[in-house]
Amino acid sequence: MSEIFSERSRIRFTERGNQILSWSWKHPLSGQSLEILSGYDPNEPFFHSGSFLMYPWVNRHTGDSIQLGEEVLSLAGLGVRDANGFPSHGLAFDWRRKLIDHSSKSLLFELVPDDVWTDTSLYRVRIREEYSIDRISNEEVLTLKTYFLNRNPFPFRFCYGYHPYFRMKSSKRNPLLRSNLKKQIPLQETLIPVYPIYGKMTDRFEQDRIPPLDSLFYGEEPLVRLLIPEESYQVRIQSWSGSSDEIPLSYVQIYTDFAGARIAVEPMSAPGDAISHGFSLTNLLPEEEKSGCFQILVSPL
């Protein structure tokens, strides 16, 4: 089992490396050990806890096949489908990780695609995940950078994102949600975005308690703050891109699971069903590599 740690944090991964089991953080003022994530629970469905990769699409895809490069890949009998029968959260969420490099504060995984994808374009894209933990001033900072290298002899297009669940304790004082995100993207009842994509102004981040959400938002450099007054800490989820070889994670899906006392804040490079519409996709030329990055920052209130 792999783990990384700092003076105040310890993050543990599953044996396969495809989920985060726990992130315990010692509050610098109270000395209390707190779980930041709602860590992966093997007794629940895979998508209900922890933090996992969504790739080569995010959230839902409305087709029974998918075209990523020059070939069309059938999805019949593959992946996981939602209650409406739509393939959900991509194909790589449970792929095994191979440990490439490791220190106390960082590790580098390489994804090992399932055998069913051998000899397909999906198999010939190398994906690596670099996790690092550090303390900057009074903030504990987890950085996750994901690299995509196209080894196909033709261009390859995709989108990706992550689906971390955060714990939110609320028995005495309500957690709060704040953000610089001003535009909400309308969704159908099936949670498929309305195309053509458009945004409308939202007040979801100005309320005195977190409302029920399974909602999609957009912002060029999104920042979401989860405040837990009961335990006197906050979590910031932020992403940005500074160069042409960096993939912007400008879309954020937020889902509240009040029964499980957790909230998912999902940074993504595109909205759901983006491949069907050719919208906001990352295009990799042969032998080209691009990466995307987001951070989770924890600090006392």
Side-chain angles (χ1 to χ4, degrees):
M1 183 183 300
S2 300
E3 65 177 21
I4 54 177
F5 57 89
S6 67
E7 181 182 341
R8 292 178 181 161
S9 282
R10 184 174 297 271
I11 300 172
R12 298 187 305 129
F13 299 83
T14 59
E15 197 68 39
R16 289 173 60 85
N18 54 15
Q19 273 277 19
I20 295 180
L21 275 174
S22 65
W23 177 2
S24 59
W25 172 69
K26 186 176 181 180
H27 196 293
L29 302 179
S30 70
Q32 185 178 5
S33 182
L34 302 171
E35 288 295 329
I36 303 304
L37 294 178
S38 181
Y40 174 62
D41 183 348
N43 296 315
E44 293 190 283
F46 188 91
F47 294 154
H48 289 194
S49 61
S51 176
F52 56 88
L53 170 67
M54 299 181 288
Y55 163 89
W57 73 82
V58 298
N59 288 330
R60 290 153 183 86
H61 174 68
T62 56
D64 289 323
S65 62
I66 191 167
Q67 184 168 2
L68 305 169
E70 292 186 351
E71 62 185 338
V72 176
L73 303 176
S74 173
L75 301 177
L78 297 170
V80 176
R81 294 176 182 258
D82 71 2
N84 295 300
F86 295 134
S88 298
H89 300 322
L91 299 167
F93 51 85
D94 63 350
W95 287 359
R96 182 175 66 84
R97 270 61 165 173
K98 178 172 64 174
L99 187 60
I100 302 298
D101 196 13
H102 190 199
S103 70
S104 61
K105 291 188 175 183
S106 67
L107 57 77
L108 181 65
F109 285 134
E110 183 170 312
L111 275 69
V112 181
D114 294 339
D115 290 342
V116 68
W117 301 113
T118 303
D119 298 327
T120 70
S121 58
L122 196 64
Y123 195 88
R124 292 188 290 270
V125 175
R126 190 192 73 185
I127 307 172
R128 289 184 168 181
E129 298 172 319
E130 183 180 41
Y131 290 85
S132 62
I133 186 74
D134 207 349
R135 184 150 54 100
I136 301 175
S137 187
N138 70 331
E139 290 188 302
E140 201 77 1
V141 183
L142 174 64
T143 302
L144 174 50
K145 192 167 187 177
T146 310
Y147 302 84
F148 302 87
L149 172 63
N150 181 19
R151 288 175 166 165
N152 289 287
F154 47 77
F156 183 89
R157 63 178 195 164
F158 68 96
C159 54
Y160 92 102
Y162 281 86
H163 198 299
Y165 281 94
F166 298 91
R167 192 179 63 90
M168 53 177 187
K169 188 173 182 179
S170 59
S171 59
K172 297 179 181 177
R173 300 175 64 186
N174 292 326
L176 300 173
L177 200 60
R178 299 291 182 257
S179 180
N180 64 353
L181 295 167
K182 302 298 183 184
K183 293 183 178 179
Q184 182 173 349
I185 296 172
L187 302 177
Q188 304 173 48
E189 289 185 4
T190 57
L191 299 178
I192 302 296
V194 175
Y195 282 86
I197 292 291
Y198 69 96
K200 58 182 182 180
M201 299 302 291
T202 182
D203 64 353
R204 294 299 186 109
F205 304 109
E206 300 171 7
Q207 301 180 22
D208 59 3
R209 64 176 60 219
I210 299 176
L213 294 171
D214 200 346
S215 307
L216 178 62
F217 303 91
Y218 171 82
E220 290 186 0
E221 294 187 350
L223 168 64
V224 178
R225 293 174 62 217
L226 173 64
L227 295 88
I228 312 294
E230 188 165 326
E231 295 174 320
S232 299
Y233 75 93
Q234 65 174 338
V235 180
R236 293 193 293 138
I237 303 96
Q238 65 181 27
S239 60
W240 69 93
S241 61
S243 63
S244 60
D245 63 348
E246 292 182 337
I247 304 168
L249 302 178
S250 302
Y251 297 85
V252 179
Q253 185 96 8
I254 300 179
Y255 165 66
T256 50
D257 175 8
F258 291 110
R262 54 195 167 199
I263 181 171
V265 180
E266 311 161 36
M268 310 181 301
S269 66
D273 207 29
I275 289 180
S276 299
H277 296 270
F279 183 81
S280 191
L281 301 181
T282 297
N283 189 64
L284 288 179
L285 299 176
E287 299 303 322
E288 184 180 21
E289 183 175 54
K290 291 184 178 181
S291 64
C293 179
F294 76 98
Q295 291 182 318
I296 301 171
L297 304 94
V298 183
S299 61
L301 284 175

